[in-house]
Each structure stands twice: as C-alpha cells, then as structure tokens.
C-alpha cells in the first residue's frame, strides 16, 4: 500500500520562480502581491492550527493586579487608587470610610474585628456606619453586588468572600470599586 503524502495548500499557491520582466514574466508588484497572498494564507493556517492545538487547554483570564506586587515601603508605595475627596452620596462615603478604616486598622478573616484590632469587610462597614443599620445594609449590598459582578453569582455573602482570601488586597479593592459604583449610582 502506498503512503499518501499531502502538500499544504500554501505551497500550491506559491508563485513560480521569477522570470525576467522583459521575457513576459510578472512585474515586481505582481510578484510581491502573490507572495503577500501566500504569506497571508500561511498565517491563517497557522492561526487555525494554534487554535486547534490549544482548544483543550482550560484557562482563566489572569488579573495582573493579583500577580504583580509592589514593595510597601513608604518611598515606594504606590499612590492611592481611591478618591481623595469624600463623595456626596451616603453609601459611597461610608464605603470610602470603611476602606480607610481597613487600611488603617488592618484586615482580618473569620471575625468582624480580631484581637489586634484588624477588621473584615463587614466589620469595617459596621464600624463606619455608626449604628445606622439601614445605611450599613445598603453599603453591604453594594459590596456584594460589586463582588458578584467581578467574581460571579456563586458568592454567598460579603463575610464568606472576605474569609476566602489570604490577604486584604482584594477585599480593599472591592470596597474601592463598590464606593465608585455607589457614587456613580448616586447612592
């Protein structure tokens, strides 16, 4: 039985060896156009081959902010990404204060406030709400909405999200994003 040998389509479309223009061959522009068409075909085939060869690999998008870290020495500390002016809306203002509270006191998991004084997401909100349970509930709802928009509807609650992290970096970011959303919504 004879072995079958196939020739890629790109080779079949390659232009013939250049003939001298005076001898009735292709001009330089025509040859360049033919080569460009052949290269485009090869690139298209390579793109399809890449997609086929990597289709089985299950990947999730990577947020570079979760990977790239900056030393937190005072001279190298990045500028704050949150607003320096207090928002005019009560929920946004509360979330800004809660973020500042968490930055100042530290972050904790498993309790509203731990023995060293660090706070979780809900603990920071509750401290800054000053006993106004309605305002606290509105702020916690905005944080949960922001978390679910970013991480999916499977997140049950603000405390469970907070406790699922090993550092306060992402909870702080959620407070910041929730404050911006609340300000944009006029809450």
């Amino acid at each position: 039985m004879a072995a079958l040998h196939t020739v890629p389509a790109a080779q079949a479309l390659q232009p013939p060896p250049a003939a001298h223009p005076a001898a009735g061959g292709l001009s330089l522009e025509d040859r360049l156009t033919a080569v460009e068409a052949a290269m485009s075909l090869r690139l298209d085939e390579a793109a399809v081959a890449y997609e086929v060869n990597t289709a089985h690999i299950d990947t999730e998008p990577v947020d570079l902010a979760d990977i790239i870290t900056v030393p937190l020495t005072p001279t190298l500390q990045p500028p704050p990404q949150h607003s320096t002016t207090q928002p005019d809306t009560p929920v946004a203002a509360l979330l800004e204060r809660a973020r500042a509270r968490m930055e100042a006191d530290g972050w904790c998991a498993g309790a509203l406030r731990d023995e060293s004084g660090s706070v979780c997401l809900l603990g920071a909100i509750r401290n800054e709400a000053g006993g106004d349970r309605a305002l606290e509930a509105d702020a916690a709802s905005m944080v949960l909405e922001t978390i679910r928009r970013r991480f999916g509807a499977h997140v049950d609650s603000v405390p469970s999200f907070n406790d699922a992290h090993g550092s306060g970096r992402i909870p702080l970011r959620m407070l910041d994003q929730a404050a911006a959303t609340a300000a944009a919504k006029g809450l």
Side-chain angles (χ1 to χ4, degrees), residues 18-185:
H20 192 285
L26 297 175
S27 69
L28 177 62
E29 290 81 19
D30 292 339
R31 289 184 298 189
L32 288 174
T33 302
V35 169
E36 181 182 9
M39 289 306 297
S40 294
L41 182 63
R42 285 184 180 179
L43 288 172
D44 290 344
E45 287 177 349
V48 169
Y50 175 80
E51 291 296 323
V52 168
N53 291 337
T54 59
H56 69 284
I57 300 172
D58 186 27
T59 59
E60 292 183 24
V62 175
D63 186 2
L64 291 180
D66 294 338
I67 298 171
I68 299 172
T69 58
V70 177
L72 295 178
T73 59
T75 57
L76 298 176
Q77 193 166 11
Q81 296 180 3
H82 59 283
S83 171
T84 56
T85 61
Q86 285 290 40
D88 295 334
T89 62
V91 173
L94 170 61
L95 292 169
E96 284 285 337
R97 291 192 313 269
R99 185 186 199 293
R101 165 77 59 188
M102 188 181 288
E103 282 182 321
D105 294 350
W107 170 85
C108 73
L112 292 175
R113 179 178 289 279
D114 68 7
E115 60 278 352
S116 67
S118 298
V119 292
C120 73
L121 275 168
L122 193 56
I125 293 169
R126 185 163 289 168
N127 281 343
E128 293 303 317
D132 186 344
R133 294 293 186 179
L135 183 60
E136 177 186 330
D138 289 344
S141 293
M142 181 55 60
V143 171
L144 185 59
E145 178 185 321
T146 302
I147 290 168
R148 286 181 173 164
R149 190 173 346 112
R150 172 76 167 81
F151 293 97
H154 68 280
V155 178
D156 294 328
S157 65
V158 172
S160 67
F161 175 81
N162 181 80
D163 295 349
H165 289 85
S167 77
R169 188 175 73 243
I170 294 174
L172 275 170
R173 191 177 327 144
M174 291 300 101
L175 277 174
D176 194 36
Q177 291 176 6
T181 303
K185 289 184 173 186

